[in-house]
Amino acid sequence: MIGIIVTGHGSFATGLTSGLKLLVGEPEQYETVDFDPEDSIEILTTKLKAAAARLKDCDGILILTDLAGGSPFNVSIRLKMTADREGTAMEVIGGTNLPVVLDAYMSRTVIADAGQLAASSSANGRQQVIHYV
């Protein structure tokens, strides 16, 4: 199974996870990493590495971040580059919303490739953004 890490500015990760818990219960092989106001990039890096280490027995890791180009996204991309060199399957999505998290969490039982899971979940998340007029 693919492990999931949700990260973002402030309590983004904790907030999305709260919504996920209402829908599916207590998530497994799932980590949250909040980027608190007092955290430096080094602290965020340490938190993300620790979360990834807790998911070391997973078939891969999907990191879901709030803003593409923000610090959680950039640190996650650096972790992905290291993972790629080490042969670990890791993918990163920026611009995550609750439908992306829910889709990734539910689909990882049938999608065993981190890249395919990232593509499927991000596509499904985009479809959930609707402008009601």
Side-chain angles (χ1 to χ4, degrees), residues 55-78:
L55 298 173
K56 68 180 175 6
D57 294 329
C58 294
D59 298 324
I61 296 174
L62 176 59
I63 303 178
L64 306 172
T65 74
D66 56 353
L67 298 172
S71 296
F73 178 82
N74 293 336
V75 171
S76 297
I77 291 297
R78 286 195 293 278

Side-chain angles (χ1 to χ4, degrees), residues 36-90:
D36 298 316
E38 64 276 4
D39 289 348
S40 65
I41 297 299
E42 292 75 20
I43 290 172
L44 176 61
T45 300
T46 300
K47 287 178 170 182
L48 283 168
K49 284 181 178 179
R54 289 189 293 273
L55 298 173
K56 68 180 175 6
D57 294 329
C58 294
D59 298 324
I61 296 174
L62 176 59
I63 303 178
L64 306 172
T65 74
D66 56 353
L67 298 172
S71 296
F73 178 82
N74 293 336
V75 171
S76 297
I77 291 297
R78 286 195 293 278
L79 290 177
K80 177 190 174 6
M81 290 187 297
T82 300
D84 287 348
R85 287 191 297 271
E86 295 172 351
T88 302
M90 185 179 284

Side-chain angles (χ1 to χ4, degrees), residues 17-38:
T17 301
S18 174
L20 181 68
K21 287 178 180 180
L22 286 173
L23 298 168
V24 301
E26 192 64 38
E28 297 176 3
Q29 294 177 315
Y30 179 99
E31 297 285 330
T32 59
V33 177
D34 287 327
F35 183 36
D36 298 316
E38 64 276 4

Side-chain angles (χ1 to χ4, degrees), residues 6-17 34 64-66 95-97:
V6 179
T7 186
H9 294 83
S11 300
F12 176 81
T14 303
L16 276 185
T17 301
D34 287 327
L64 306 172
T65 74
D66 56 353
T96 297
N97 56 25

